Amino acid sequence: MNAEKDFAPLTPTIVRALNDKLYEKRKVAALEIEKLVREFVAQSNTTQIKHVIQILSQEFALSQHPHSRKGGLIGLAACSIALGKDSGLYLKELIEPVLTCFNDADSRLRYYACEALYNIVKVARGSVLPHFNVLFDGLSKLAADPDPNVKSGSELLDRLLKDIVTESNKFDLVSFIPLLRERIYSNNQYARQFIISWILVLESVPDINLLDYLPEILDGLFQILGDNSKEIRKMCEVALGEFLKEIKKNPSSVKFAEMANILVIHCQASDDLIQLTAMCWMREFIQLAGRVMLPYSSGILTAVLPCLSYDDRKKNIKEVANVCNQSLMKLVIPEDDETDEAKQSMSLQTEANSEESLSKPEVPSSGSLDTSSDSNFSNTSVFTVTRCEAANTQVQMLRNLCCYPSEHGKNSSSDKVQVTLNLDGIVQVLDYHLHDTSTGMMTRIAVLKWLYHLYIKTPRKMFRHTDSLFPILLRTLSDESDEVILKDLEVLAEIASSPAGQTEGHGPYEGSDMQSSQSELHVPIKPSQLSTSGTKGMECSPSTPTMNSYFYKFMINLLKRFSSERKLLETRGAFIIRQLCLLLNAENIFHSMADILLREEDLKFASTMVHTLNTILLTSSELFQLRNQLKDLKTPESRNLFCCLYRSWCHNPVTTVSLCFLTQNYKHAYDLIQKFGDLEVTVDFLTEVDKLVQLIECPIFTYLRLQLLDVKNNPYLIKALYGLLMLLPQSSAFQLLSHRLQCVPNPELMQTTDSTKIGHGFKKSPAPNIDYVELLQHFEKVQNKHLEVRHQRAGRGEHLDQRVIL
């Protein structure tokens, strides 16, 4: 330092002492400066005060010499003490050089800077608040200082500043938030601890509403929650807990939408504490904010669904995720099925009517106003949706996904903000989890529950996605879990039966979707099967008011699935069909499958499928009503069903006979058995006859066994059973049927006085309006076709899976 330079009003003695390497001499100089400044204060000589501060700052505190910098720091602190309550007038000049020394390479000098600033702040108290940001910035750096003395000094200053902020009601939170948002992303543990401590302090001050700015710092808080230090994690957990308590107390003032995506991100964190905390927040948000969270449903589901398959190690996360999932599902309501254009039109019309009612003159009480035409026009405009409008709706929904709900209704009151369900995004997420082979069972079940729920609540919008969802829903039938298959069947059944899925102008075989799909059976239509009435002629398959245009497509694709995956048919086929009979109309299912199998080109599959359907029909409790319907063939519908089943059942001779037994067509059964002599008797054929004999002994055919008592009126039943007996080798089934036929009584022994009443309850007359000759011809035709295919395969040297009995 230049010794000849003029430092007035500081005396040369003071200057030399300030530059001394000994702390005691610098302290003496500081006391002299304090006296000098007190005199200037008494004289109100602000010019000299500023001059002294400037000298201490420029010539000492910012000097290149370390001892000079130390002297400058203690001198500035002395000035502040001397100024007392007036120090607030010079705080900028006092603080800035001290903060510069916070960055000094010398740890001792950084400590003296902390000490000097502590004295300045202690004197100024609330006057330092306008300079809070620069003080906070400096302290945040010292919080991570490697020197323990510096850290200790900064902690003293930090506690003093926190006391001042807590006592004051003039803290400028708005200007502080950007700095807090920046520093909260620090990776240093001490800096993080410093940040969290300040957040806890600010949150505890009643006059400071930090909740309004929570969206600015929430992401940073979750980042800190993943710190390696248990102490910091605990502090952050406490801070987040305090915020959540505040949110529950004042939900109306919370910016839920602005924090939704932040929670979605952290709900997918690999750290268990972060994920659990974020999931708990999400649960509260959904329950408190309600439908405000709907636009973020796709993101929420992306985070929540995988958690549902967690094991017991993450049981807490799984339980909270399940609550989130259930709560979110409840937010979807039937009103969400309205198109966006309809909602907007309705809203605009309501506003227009409101304004019009204000502008129109009053209508005399004696007059009347006819509004019927306007009402009809309104209904048409709201509920008629063209394809173009539907496409525009989807585009708008995708745009809405990128916006916060509050942005939809700027310059409008909160009650006019339209909450939009992002159905496209939700379906995309659900579809992804069904395709993902790593998805857990509980997640797949939840996905299917969501799809079912959406088809119930928003069927019209959901049917836009049915063509894309249909293949994966069919593939899900091969799932290893029965519970997943059950839920999948519920979804498919809802698709097949929902009125929203009915499309006009499409028969069972029409439509581009049916022709282009790669996952369907290609069923050739014969000219003889087409009627002159166009599409109506093809609706003889199960087109009932409870089924829609997707029902027949479902049946076709289900059979295609069974055809391509024989193992699925063997292991789950009966289970799937039985469940469908509970969910849908059993008659429609059997009618449609029989109709499709009648045109099936793979005869081996057709025979196997017919055998499966026949076993279900004869043995399943779910088919009790349908069996009763077929038992007597009293109605035109039952006779029509019998004829439809019969034509397809002809793919398997033994099942055809069992169908005749079920419907009490015993003469025709006998005629069929007579034709068996022209068939190739194979091991599989005899096995099926064996199974039929076993079925005859079951409770289902109790009425048939009782009819054996009336020999006179049921001769063809006995003949048919003897025919089966003659077909069988002398096996256990042969013995079983032989013993049964030995129990048939002698007709003469059954004669009584009132012979007209004997067996009256067992007598069965042939069903009217059924051409049995034509049915028999059809049976022969089908069997000849099977025989021809077998001979072709044998000629090509293909392996036959059935051994012929020689």
Side-chain angles (χ1 to χ4, degrees):
M1 183 176 289
N2 190 354
E4 299 178 356
K5 194 171 183 179
D6 184 17
F7 292 100
L10 298 183
T11 65
T13 304
I14 294 176
V15 172
R16 282 195 301 272
L18 286 177
N19 285 310
D20 200 280
K21 65 179 181 180
L22 296 176
Y23 172 76
E24 294 299 329
K25 290 186 177 181
R26 294 197 302 271
K27 185 175 180 181
V28 171
L31 293 174
E32 292 297 323
I33 291 173
E34 182 181 346
K35 291 179 183 179
L36 182 62
V37 172
R38 288 185 186 277
E39 292 177 2
F40 292 148
V41 171
Q43 298 168 5
S44 299
N45 192 343
T46 57
T47 303
Q48 287 289 55
I49 295 173
K50 288 182 179 179
H51 190 48
V52 170
I53 294 174
Q54 184 179 10
I55 292 172
L56 292 171
S57 173
Q58 299 296 325
E59 303 298 335
F60 288 89
L62 302 179
S63 171
Q64 296 297 321
H65 195 276
H67 298 309
S68 298
R69 294 201 295 275
K70 294 174 184 176
L73 289 171
I74 197 170
L76 289 172
C79 287
S80 177
I81 294 171
L83 288 168
K85 62 180 182 181
D86 294 332
S87 61
L89 301 173
Y90 309 94
L91 276 178
K92 184 182 181 195
E93 293 81 0
L94 291 168
I95 290 173
E96 285 184 353
V98 177
L99 289 174
T100 303
C101 293
F102 275 13
N103 300 317
D104 201 282
D106 186 353
S107 61
R108 290 295 297 170
L109 203 141
R110 295 198 302 274
Y111 174 79
Y112 287 132
C114 283
E115 188 179 55
L117 191 56
Y118 179 88
N119 289 321
I120 294 171
V121 172
K122 186 176 182 180
V123 173
R125 301 296 294 182
S127 300
V128 301
L129 290 179
H131 308 277
F132 178 81
N133 281 9
V134 293
L135 295 174
F136 182 88
D137 182 55
L139 279 174
S140 65
K141 297 174 183 176
L142 291 185
D145 199 283
D147 187 272
N149 291 325
V150 176
K151 281 187 63 177
S152 177
S154 68
E155 288 171 1
L156 287 173
L157 176 58
D158 180 54
R159 284 198 291 271
L160 174 61
L161 201 56
K162 285 174 180 173
D163 290 340
I164 294 172
V165 170
T166 304
E167 296 168 358
S168 175
N169 58 359
K170 297 180 180 179
F171 181 74
D172 188 0
L173 185 61
V174 176
S175 63
F176 171 62
I177 288 298
L179 178 61
L180 179 61
R181 183 178 60 233
E182 175 191 344
R183 293 303 167 89
I184 202 170
Y185 287 104
S186 172
N187 291 324
N188 185 277
Q189 288 188 353
Y190 298 107
R192 284 180 164 182
Q193 191 172 19
F194 172 78
I195 293 291
I196 291 295
S197 66
W198 268 102
I199 290 176
L200 285 169
V201 168
L202 294 176
E203 174 62 15
S204 66
V205 179
D207 295 333
I208 297 177
N209 187 11
L210 194 57
L211 190 62
D212 285 346
Y213 302 93
L214 184 57
E216 306 284 335
I217 61 173
L218 185 61
D219 180 61
L221 283 171
F222 276 103
Q223 297 277 2
I224 296 176
L225 190 60
D227 196 273
N228 294 327
S229 169
K230 291 183 178 180
E231 183 180 356
I232 294 175
R233 287 164 72 98
K234 185 62 179 178
M235 287 179 64
C236 189
E237 198 174 356
V238 171
L240 286 168
E242 291 299 319
F243 276 120
L244 193 56
K245 288 179 183 178
E246 192 68 22
I247 287 172
K248 292 179 182 179
K249 290 179 182 178
N250 306 288
S252 59
S253 61
V254 179
K255 300 174 182 177
F256 291 104
E258 295 183 21
M259 293 183 280
N261 286 329
I262 297 173
L263 294 182
V264 167
I265 293 171
H266 292 290
C267 280
Q268 302 173 70
S270 57
D271 184 280
D272 288 356
L273 179 59
I274 294 177
Q275 190 176 28
L276 176 60
T277 306
M279 200 68 72
C280 289
W281 276 61
M282 184 66 77
R283 176 190 62 195
E284 299 300 331
F285 272 37
I286 296 172
Q287 293 176 351
L288 293 172
R291 287 178 57 83
V292 171
M293 301 297 289
L294 268 186
Y296 309 95
S297 299
S298 58
I300 296 172
L301 288 175
T302 300
V304 167
L305 288 174
C307 301
L308 301 179
S309 294
Y310 282 172
D311 54 25
D312 289 341
R313 290 174 295 178
K314 296 185 177 182
K315 183 179 179 181
N316 292 339
I317 299 175
K318 180 179 179 179
E319 291 175 350
V320 179
N322 186 55
V323 175
C324 289
N325 182 57
Q326 296 295 330
S327 299
L328 185 64
M329 190 179 292
K330 292 177 182 178
L331 298 181
V332 181
I333 56 177
E335 284 73 10
D336 291 315
D337 203 26
E338 297 177 7
T339 61
D340 298 338
E341 289 83 355
K343 291 180 180 179
Q344 185 176 6
S345 173
M346 188 178 295
S347 176
L348 292 174
Q349 184 177 354
T350 302
E351 292 180 7
N353 290 342
S354 177
E355 293 175 0
E356 188 177 356
S357 64
L358 292 175
S359 60
K360 281 186 177 182
E362 294 184 4
V363 179
S365 58
S366 59
S368 62
L369 183 62
D370 184 7
T371 60
S372 59
S373 60
D374 294 337
S375 175
N376 292 335
F377 176 78
S378 172
N379 291 336
T380 303
S381 64
V382 169
F383 293 106
T384 302
V385 185
T386 64
R387 292 186 177 181
C388 179
E389 289 172 340
N392 292 336
T393 300
Q394 293 182 6
V395 171
Q396 184 62 40
M397 289 170 70
L398 290 173
R399 290 175 179 171
N400 291 344
L401 178 62
C402 304
C403 304
Y404 290 119
S406 58
E407 294 178 7
H408 298 306
K410 289 182 178 180
N411 301 324
S412 64
S413 60
S414 59
D415 59 339
K416 293 183 180 180
V417 176
Q418 189 66 58
V419 175
T420 304
L421 175 67
N422 178 23
L423 192 62
D424 291 350
I426 293 176
V427 172
Q428 185 178 2
V429 172
L430 298 176
D431 183 70
Y432 169 79
H433 281 93
L434 278 183
H435 276 91
D436 187 3
T437 55
S438 64
T439 301
M441 182 189 72
M442 297 308 297
T443 298
R444 296 197 301 277
I445 292 173
V447 167
L448 293 168
K449 285 182 177 179
W450 259 102
L451 289 173
Y452 182 77
H453 183 72
L454 292 173
Y455 271 109
I456 294 294
K457 298 296 183 180
T458 59
R460 290 187 297 170
K461 286 186 177 181
M462 276 301 295
F463 268 94
R464 300 173 188 169
H465 302 278
T466 298
D467 288 338
S468 62
L469 289 171
F470 211 67
I472 186 59
L473 289 172
L474 285 168
R475 284 200 293 273
T476 306
L477 291 175
S478 302
D479 197 277
E480 59 186 13
S481 166
D482 286 350
E483 192 172 353
V484 172
I485 294 175
L486 283 173
K487 294 301 176 185
D488 189 39
L489 289 172
E490 288 182 10
V491 178
L492 287 167
E494 182 59 31
I495 291 174
S497 60
S498 174
Q502 187 64 54
T503 56
E504 297 180 0
H506 292 279
Y509 310 109
E510 291 187 344
S512 58
D513 293 338
M514 293 293 294
Q515 295 174 0
S516 62
S517 175
Q518 298 179 353
S519 62
E520 65 189 26
L521 283 172
H522 296 284
V523 183
I525 306 175
K526 300 178 181 179
S528 61
Q529 293 167 348
L530 296 175
S531 70
T532 57
S533 59
T535 59
K536 291 182 179 179
M538 291 179 289
E539 292 174 357
C540 58
S541 57
S543 299
T544 69
T546 59
M547 301 297 131
N548 60 31
S549 56
Y550 278 93
F551 173 79
Y552 207 77
K553 182 177 181 180
F554 175 31
M555 294 297 106
I556 290 176
N557 283 275
L558 179 60
L559 289 175
K560 176 62 178 177
R561 194 77 185 166
F562 287 148
S563 178
S564 61
E565 290 190 34
R566 297 301 172 87
K567 186 177 180 181
L568 175 65
L569 176 59
E570 293 173 5
T571 58
R572 299 289 180 82
F575 171 72
I576 290 172
I577 294 171
R578 288 172 61 185
Q579 292 303 318
L580 284 176
C581 289
L582 290 175
L583 296 167
L584 297 170
N585 185 285
E587 178 184 354
N588 289 347
I589 291 172
F590 272 77
H591 200 156
S592 62
M593 286 189 172
D595 190 53
I596 297 166
L597 290 171
L598 183 62
R599 300 167 178 83
E600 172 57 37
E601 296 176 347
D602 185 347
L603 299 184
K604 184 176 181 298
F605 168 70
S607 177
T608 304
M609 193 67 221
V610 163
H611 176 74
T612 302
L613 290 172
N614 185 69
T615 303
I616 296 170
L617 177 63
L618 294 179
T619 61
S620 300
S621 59
E622 294 86 355
L623 277 298
F624 174 79
Q625 185 176 355
L626 186 59
R627 283 196 297 271
N628 283 344
Q629 184 179 344
L630 287 168
K631 186 175 177 181
D632 297 320
L633 300 181
K634 292 180 179 179
T635 63
E637 291 79 13
S638 62
R639 292 191 290 271
N640 180 43
L641 177 60
F642 165 72
C643 291
C644 179
L645 294 180
Y646 180 94
R647 294 179 186 280
S648 290
W649 263 229
C650 286
H651 282 297
N652 191 307
V654 179
T655 61
T656 313
V657 172
S658 66
L659 180 64
C660 291
F661 282 160
L662 175 66
T663 56
Q664 303 182 67
N665 282 297
Y666 302 133
K667 183 180 184 306
H668 192 70
Y670 173 71
D671 292 338
L672 286 174
I673 294 173
Q674 289 292 96
K675 298 291 182 181
F676 284 5
D678 300 328
L679 304 179
E680 290 181 338
V681 180
T682 66
V683 172
D684 286 349
F685 176 86
L686 293 177
T687 300
E688 291 188 16
V689 175
D690 189 296
K691 291 179 180 178
L692 177 57
V693 171
Q694 301 291 338
L695 277 174
I696 291 173
E697 295 297 321
C698 291
I700 292 172
F701 282 113
T702 300
Y703 65 91
L704 181 147
R705 298 195 300 273
L706 288 174
Q707 286 172 351
L708 292 174
L709 294 173
D710 188 4
V711 179
K712 182 178 180 181
N713 289 318
N714 295 291
Y716 287 104
L717 170 59
I718 299 174
K719 286 185 176 183
L721 293 177
Y722 270 108
L724 292 178
L725 186 67
M726 295 304 110
L727 287 171
L728 287 168
Q730 294 194 20
S731 59
S732 58
F734 177 89
Q735 298 295 332
L736 184 66
L737 184 55
S738 177
H739 290 158
R740 173 62 64 185
L741 289 173
Q742 289 175 12
C743 296
V744 175
N746 188 327
E748 295 180 359
L749 298 177
M750 297 298 291
Q751 292 289 339
T752 60
T753 305
D754 191 3
S755 59
T756 59
K757 295 183 181 180
I758 296 300
H760 179 72
F762 308 134
K763 187 175 181 179
K764 174 69 168 64
S765 59
N769 303 325
I770 293 180
D771 188 351
Y772 289 98
V773 175
E774 191 275 333
L775 291 180
L776 196 61
Q777 291 173 351
H778 176 78
F779 175 82
E780 292 177 342
K781 182 178 178 181
V782 172
Q783 291 308 311
N784 288 334
K785 190 174 181 180
H786 275 268
L787 185 61
E788 181 182 350
V789 171
R790 284 181 53 80
H791 287 169
Q792 290 175 354
R793 293 177 60 196
R796 292 193 298 267
E798 294 183 17
H799 172 70
L800 299 180
D801 56 354
Q802 295 180 337
R803 290 171 292 142
V804 178
I805 303 298
L806 299 179

